[in-house]
Amino acid sequence: MNNYRYFLLFFSFVISISSFSQGDDCFNATSLGTLPAPPACATGGPGNTLTYNGTTIGATAENPYSALTCMDAPAADVWVSFTSTGNELDLNFTSGLGDANIGLYTGTCGALVGLFCEASNNGSISTVLTPVVAGETYYLQISGQNATDFANFTLELASINNCNICLDGASVTTNPAPTNGFYLPNTTVEVCVVIDSYNEIAAN
């Protein structure tokens, strides 16, 4: 009986540790899978919304800390990943955080390239991120205003097909690749953007 009790205590301890570490950095990002497919054109509006209820409670700030320029740093952050199905991303974020910070990245963990950065001082963000590429996997870094700003949050993502966007497909590479998502001061970086698919619109 005593052994059984110790096993339950140990099992509960392992679960609590796992729940804190899940999504706490890019390599352990919570996968949200592929977003629902949107209608053929933006006139049809976004596709069905994917809703994720998460938390930064128990999250820690990495050291060294990686964040895009508009974000508070360092801060307790969590990461999620998803695959886009359109060329725009409709994002709605609500939370009890003091500040809300969201960074969108492409690439792979350890060699991420920052694309967009959104921040607010009321814990909520609503924005359309454009352009993104259908079929590409992206990472979102979510945080508050500092290393002790913890709260539950709701993230809503929906893909959009905007037929008035020229760019359909592109990739960004950097040389050298960033370390943990950032560069040391005075680093010379070569950025290469390859456009592999586009729609001609008027003279664009």
Side-chain angles (χ1 to χ4, degrees), residues 56-61 65 72-77 96-99 143-152:
T56 62
I57 296 173
T60 58
Y65 190 77
D72 296 313
D77 63 338
L97 293 168
D99 289 347
S143 67
Q145 61 186 342
N146 54 46
T148 58
D149 187 11
F150 303 124
N152 297 324

Side-chain angles (χ1 to χ4, degrees), residues 1-193:
M1 178 62 72
N2 286 339
N3 288 340
Y4 179 73
R5 185 187 314 151
Y6 292 149
F7 172 78
L8 287 179
L9 287 172
F10 175 76
F11 186 68
S12 299
F13 178 75
V14 170
I15 289 177
S16 65
I17 293 297
S18 298
S19 65
F20 286 135
S21 62
Q22 184 178 13
D24 203 20
D25 57 35
C26 178
F27 291 99
N28 294 293
T30 300
S31 175
L32 305 183
T34 300
L35 300 183
C41 280
T43 54
N48 292 329
T49 299
L50 184 152
T51 301
Y52 172 66
N53 294 310
T55 186
T56 62
I57 296 173
T60 58
E62 308 97 81
N63 186 14
Y65 190 77
S66 58
L68 300 182
T69 54
C70 84
M71 303 173 72
D72 296 313
D77 63 338
V78 293
W79 293 71
V80 300
S81 65
F82 64 90
T83 300
S84 176
T85 53
N87 56 18
E88 289 186 339
L89 179 67
D90 186 40
L91 181 151
N92 290 285
F93 178 85
T94 56
S95 74
L97 293 168
D99 289 347
N101 296 271
I102 290 182
L104 181 71
Y105 300 81
T106 187
T108 58
C109 295
L112 294 172
V113 177
L115 297 179
F116 302 104
C117 184
E118 295 286 339
S120 79
N121 59 7
N122 63 6
S124 298
I125 293 174
S126 292
T127 187
V128 173
L129 303 178
T130 182
V132 294
V133 179
E136 289 290 320
T137 297
Y138 294 92
Y139 294 88
L140 279 177
Q141 181 185 19
I142 299 167
S143 67
Q145 61 186 342
N146 54 46
T148 58
D149 187 11
F150 303 124
N152 297 324
F153 64 81
T154 297
L155 174 67
E156 297 178 338
L157 300 173
S159 283
I160 302 172
N161 273 326
N162 188 339
C163 298
N164 295 317
I165 292 181
C166 297
L167 184 62
D168 251 359
S171 60
V172 179
T173 58
T174 59
N175 184 34
T179 302
N180 294 324
F182 75 99
Y183 292 98
L184 294 174
N186 302 316
T187 301
T188 300
V189 182
E190 179 185 78
V191 179
C192 181
V193 179

